Amino acid sequence: MSTTTGKINVQTENIFPIIKKFLYSDHEIFLRELVSNAVDATKKLQALSAMGEAKGELGELFVKVAVDKDKKTITISDRGIGMTAEEVEKYITQVAFSGAEEFVQKYKDKTDAVNGIIGHFGLGFYSAFMVAAKVELITKSFQEGAQAVKWECDGSPEYTITPAERESRGTDIILHVAEDSLEFLEESRLRDILEKYCRFLPVAIQFGEETKKEKDAEGKEIEVKQPRQINNPNPAWTKKPSDLSDEDYKAFYRELYPMNFEDPLFWIHLNVDYPFNLTGVLYFPKIKKTFEVQKDKIQLYCNQVFVTDSVDQIVPEFLTLLRGVIDSPDIPLNVSRSYLQSDGNVKKISSHITKKVADKLEELFKKDREDFEKKYEDIRIFIQYGMLSDDKFWEKARKFALLRNEEGKMFTLDEYNDKVKPIQTNKDEKVVYLYATDVNTQHSYIASAKDRGCDVLVMDSMIDPHFINFLESKLENTSFVRVDSDTIDKLIRKDEPMPSKLSDEEKDALRPVIEEQLPKEQFNVMFESLSETEAPMMITRPEFMRRMKDMSALGGGMNMFGNMPEMHNLVVNTNHPLVTKIVSETDTDTKKKLIKQTADLALLSQGLLKGEELTKFIKRSVEMIN
């Protein structure tokens, strides 16, 4: 054949400046695009061979990436189907760039439109010009008697096609790297890109060399250099679950997240072919009580090509607490395969993944409840977050979501309601769930509740304030109150309060004397007629204000509550003998000292007595003992 020259068939001569400018911020993807094309060419050859249309032995199939710093070139080679001169003309020079002028006008001021170009306009190959001043393509078709050809372009619309020499079928793409992209001649940079985007491509990807130890004919250990394969062409999600052991899944988890040293708790293998194609493996890691920045995220692939680990549009937000891989050719992507476009398919996929996760959790709960309970604290945040944010997940999760009491026993929502309903139903027929956020600091209140036959839940994660509000909205005739927010008799009011040993006049006389001993901006003095066995004075924290502050701390947007000072109630038990003694004490100094000592004891029990006040209390206590 003779040399052919021509112009790339586009309606503007600005194509290369556009590619360079608009893809600059993400120009490393050129390697992903070119390697993916090489893999596609190899897979096509395998398909044609299987159908009998490609004759002869295929031999070893791989894609090779090579860099030459002296020549300033990067070469991507494959042993795939190759192209004839006619195919080069058809697939390389006829760039489907209709409406280019309109496109230029639309995007010329939008630098954030970066990734919206390549591929959508049939430009995957042309991503090469993001880093190359000149591109050579040498290719030979698999067809018998085919002539190798060379296509060459220097970044202008002009190109040449000439006969070339190539022994075997396949394609070499040689990039002559531009001066502003010399970073891509560094082996470490290229290797990072390949490991990011190509480490699970279905054809072996070779880059550089590695040294391995082998034994020679005499049995001596020698070092041998061989091509380094940077990918695993058969990752776990591409296999059947029946072909994988637990150790296989754990090994793949370590492959995905080599810097994570904890095994996952369990996993879900996704395999859907209708109404869309979706495969993957999702892992449940141990989820901490506090939300942490997710370093190890779910990775999205398209036919084993890495796309992104920002999968918010594919899975509901609560599922982003999981880890693993989702692979789907049906997720609509724009040209660079980097940005998702929301449509019905995405919503269906999201809904399906949610259902699969809920089904798996329910299956684990039913299959081995004891084991499920052991793992529950490590996945509790995930389940609660899912119930809060997704109604369909809530409907399923209410069967396996668990509540834990301070004794460490676990109950489903229905089981717990049955347990506490007989004793903790108030006079308005509402079931009162008592809970503690810290079993140590709230121990005295828990003990008091248990003395009355009540049960106390532990709700100690940062999401619990929201979860409590959520459950109150979902469960009929149910309210949650923190065990230290009031006296038990008031928290679960069953009938009229018992009579008080103090008259209203005695209370009115005692109130200002007590208030003198406390900072008014932090404490509100209240009188309650309680059992003689209850403490003479106790500290409670109003449920509404404390709950609002807790929710504000999690970022609920209620800063008006978050900035308010912490308020407490000092509850005086009007039926306690010590209170009666204080009222009848005639010596003013003695009365004040008794009040101060009793109030300080209540503060001390809640960890609220600190600094100078604690020092004074200890000194006063020693004096009173002597």
Side-chain angles (χ1 to χ4, degrees):
M1 63 171 283
S2 59
T3 298
T4 301
T5 62
K7 278 196 173 185
I8 294 166
N9 184 24
V10 294
Q11 294 178 15
T12 175
E13 296 195 358
N14 292 332
I15 178 173
F16 295 110
I18 291 169
I19 290 171
K20 192 91 171 178
K21 177 181 177 183
F22 287 106
L23 290 168
Y24 189 76
S25 67
D26 196 19
H27 58 334
E28 68 178 29
I29 67 157
F30 82 92
L31 193 57
R32 180 191 70 186
E33 294 296 316
L34 298 177
V35 171
S36 297
N37 286 348
V39 168
D40 288 344
T42 308
K43 296 294 287 182
K44 285 174 184 174
L45 179 69
Q46 289 176 318
L48 290 171
S49 176
M51 291 185 287
E53 293 185 25
K55 309 297 182 185
E57 292 295 318
L58 296 185
E60 187 181 0
L61 295 177
F62 57 85
V63 174
K64 184 176 181 180
V65 179
V67 62
D68 188 323
K69 290 186 76 169
D70 294 332
K71 293 182 180 178
K72 296 183 180 178
T73 61
I74 300 169
T75 303
I76 297 97
S77 305
D78 68 64
R79 299 185 68 251
I81 57 173
M83 287 181 281
T84 62
E86 292 75 22
E87 287 169 332
V88 171
E89 286 273 9
K90 180 178 179 182
Y91 296 120
I92 300 298
T93 68
Q94 302 293 317
V95 179
F97 207 71
S98 57
E101 292 291 354
E102 179 186 346
F103 179 87
V104 173
Q105 291 303 313
K106 183 177 179 182
Y107 287 110
K108 67 180 179 181
D109 297 321
K110 296 185 179 180
T111 53
D112 61 348
V114 180
N115 294 302
I117 299 170
I118 297 259
H120 191 60
F121 298 94
L123 291 176
F125 167 75
Y126 282 91
S127 62
F129 286 96
M130 295 191 315
V131 300
K134 183 173 79 169
V135 177
E136 295 175 80
L137 181 149
I138 300 169
T139 185
K140 185 177 181 180
S141 173
F142 74 96
Q143 297 172 19
E144 289 183 33
Q147 165 71 53
V149 295
K150 177 180 179 181
W151 177 92
E152 192 172 347
C153 180
D154 63 0
S156 68
E158 283 82 20
Y159 67 86
T160 61
I161 299 179
T162 57
E165 292 297 322
R166 197 180 198 280
E167 286 187 17
S168 59
R169 63 164 196 270
T171 302
D172 297 329
I173 297 172
I174 303 155
L175 312 183
H176 295 265
V177 177
E179 289 299 315
D180 61 359
S181 298
L182 297 180
E183 64 178 285
F184 294 106
L185 294 174
E186 298 299 326
E187 186 170 324
S188 59
R189 181 79 168 97
L190 289 183
R191 184 171 176 180
D192 286 345
I193 298 170
L194 289 168
E195 288 179 345
K196 177 179 178 180
Y197 291 108
C198 306
R199 63 173 170 159
F200 295 118
L201 279 172
V203 174
I205 312 296
Q206 295 180 359
F207 179 65
E209 292 182 325
E210 59 186 350
T211 302
K212 291 202 171 183
K213 291 182 178 180
E214 293 183 0
K215 290 186 178 179
D216 63 12
E218 298 175 3
K220 290 182 181 178
E221 198 172 73
I222 57 171
E223 290 188 345
V224 179
K225 283 192 174 183
Q226 60 185 50
R228 179 197 296 118
Q229 181 172 321
I230 57 93
N231 66 321
N232 170 6
N234 300 298
W237 83 82
T238 64
K239 300 175 183 177
K240 294 179 182 176
S242 56
D243 293 339
L244 295 165
S245 65
D246 287 357
E247 189 47 52
D248 291 330
Y249 282 111
K250 290 176 184 177
F252 181 56
Y253 184 75
R254 291 190 288 270
E255 189 176 351
L256 285 173
Y257 310 110
M259 299 310 292
N260 191 305
F261 303 110
E262 279 188 322
D263 279 340
L265 297 168
F266 45 88
W267 46 85
I268 299 169
H269 197 129
L270 302 165
N271 197 345
V272 184
D273 53 19
Y274 182 82
F276 43 80
N277 287 293
L278 175 74
T279 54
V281 180
L282 292 179
Y283 291 94
F284 282 77
K286 290 185 177 181
I287 297 167
K288 312 299 180 192
K289 286 183 181 178
T290 56
F291 285 115
E292 298 174 344
V293 176
Q294 277 287 95
K295 287 179 272 187
D296 299 330
K297 298 179 179 179
I298 293 174
Q299 299 171 12
L300 177 66
Y301 288 76
C302 182
N303 289 325
Q304 294 177 237
V305 181
F306 176 78
V307 174
T308 182
D309 58 7
S310 298
V311 295
D312 305 7
Q313 296 180 59
I314 294 295
V315 301
E317 189 178 358
F318 77 97
L319 288 177
T320 61
L321 294 174
L322 302 184
R323 294 177 184 149
V325 167
I326 297 168
D327 189 328
S328 176
D330 292 334
I331 293 172
L333 305 171
N334 75 359
V335 287
S336 71
R337 308 185 201 182
S338 296
Y339 283 62
L340 305 174
Q341 298 167 333
S342 292
D343 75 349
N345 248 3
V346 170
K347 292 180 177 64
K348 286 177 192 171
I349 289 170
S350 173
S351 177
H352 181 80
I353 293 171
T354 300
K355 180 180 182 299
K356 288 286 286 185
V357 169
D359 289 346
K360 176 69 172 182
L361 289 167
E362 186 177 0
E363 175 197 328
L364 291 168
F365 173 71
K366 288 179 176 177
K367 185 178 177 181
D368 189 341
R369 175 162 176 169
E370 185 179 347
D371 184 62
F372 187 81
E373 288 187 4
K374 285 177 185 174
K375 293 172 179 171
Y376 193 77
E377 280 304 300
D378 291 316
I379 59 170
R380 174 162 67 105
I381 292 277
F382 167 80
I383 291 174
Q384 290 178 344
Y385 191 14
M387 294 167 81
L388 281 166
S389 57
D390 191 299
D391 279 340
K392 288 184 178 176
F393 188 80
W394 148 253
E395 289 299 331
K396 285 183 168 289
R398 63 180 303 162
K399 301 171 190 171
F400 55 76
L402 300 176
L403 300 172
R404 175 172 62 90
N405 70 8
E406 54 81 33
E407 294 176 352
K409 295 177 182 175
M410 291 193 171
F411 308 86
T412 65
L413 297 178
D414 288 342
E415 289 168 352
Y416 195 72
N417 189 68
D418 292 343
K419 173 180 173 60
V420 299
K421 192 172 184 177
I423 294 177
Q424 292 174 215
T425 300
N426 65 18
K427 63 186 180 68
D428 299 319
E429 297 301 313
K430 183 171 272 194
V431 183
V432 179
Y433 288 12
L434 302 175
Y435 70 93
T437 55
D438 188 318
V439 293
N440 290 319
T441 59
Q442 294 154 14
H443 181 270
S444 61
Y445 299 99
I446 295 170
S448 178
K450 292 180 73 174
D451 286 346
R452 305 292 185 89
C454 296
D455 193 76
V456 180
L457 294 169
V458 177
M459 308 292 277
D460 58 0
S461 80
M462 65 185 298
I463 201 175
D464 274 328
H466 289 281
F467 189 57
I468 287 166
N469 275 2
F470 172 78
L471 288 180
E472 284 180 332
S473 72
K474 292 290 189 182
L475 304 176
E476 289 185 9
N477 296 320
T478 302
S479 67
F480 283 74
V481 289
R482 206 165 91 174
V483 70
D484 62 349
S485 61
D486 213 326
T487 61
I488 293 298
D489 288 336
K490 286 190 74 176
L491 292 178
I492 311 175
R493 195 180 289 282
K494 291 185 175 285
D495 44 38
E496 293 304 312
M498 64 179 66
S500 170
K501 289 185 179 180
L502 299 189
S503 66
D504 289 344
E505 292 76 13
E506 287 172 322
K507 293 176 190 175
D508 291 342
L510 188 57
R511 182 185 298 276
V513 185
I514 296 174
E515 287 177 343
E516 283 178 23
Q517 311 303 314
L518 298 163
K520 282 187 179 180
E521 67 277 4
Q522 293 181 30
F523 293 93
N524 177 38
V525 176
M526 302 174 66
F527 292 92
E528 297 283 348
S529 52
L530 307 173
S531 163
E532 290 185 9
T533 59
E534 295 282 3
M537 292 184 189
M538 64 184 76
I539 304 295
T540 63
R541 301 175 180 184
E543 174 73 12
F544 175 76
M545 288 303 301
R546 183 205 45 71
R547 195 185 292 190
M548 292 303 104
K549 283 178 71 71
D550 287 349
M551 290 174 68
S552 179
L554 187 57
M558 292 165 288
N559 291 329
M560 55 179 281
F561 295 108
N563 295 331
M564 290 185 74
E566 188 75 56
M567 282 297 295
H568 300 83
N569 295 325
L570 177 75
V571 179
V572 181
N573 181 359
T574 60
N575 293 328
H576 196 282
L578 180 55
V579 176
T580 304
K581 179 181 178 182
I582 290 170
V583 170
S584 59
E585 179 59 58
T586 55
D587 182 75
T588 303
D589 287 341
T590 304
K591 177 178 284 197
K592 287 182 178 180
K593 187 180 282 189
L594 282 171
I595 290 171
K596 183 65 174 170
Q597 189 72 3
T598 309
D600 280 358
L601 279 169
L603 291 169
L604 185 67
S605 73
Q606 293 308 299
L608 296 173
L609 195 64
K610 298 173 182 177
E612 185 182 354
E613 290 299 315
L614 178 58
T615 304
K616 287 180 179 178
F617 170 78
I618 293 170
K619 185 178 179 183
R620 191 187 327 118
S621 299
V622 172
E623 289 172 357
M624 292 176 77
I625 293 170
N626 287 336

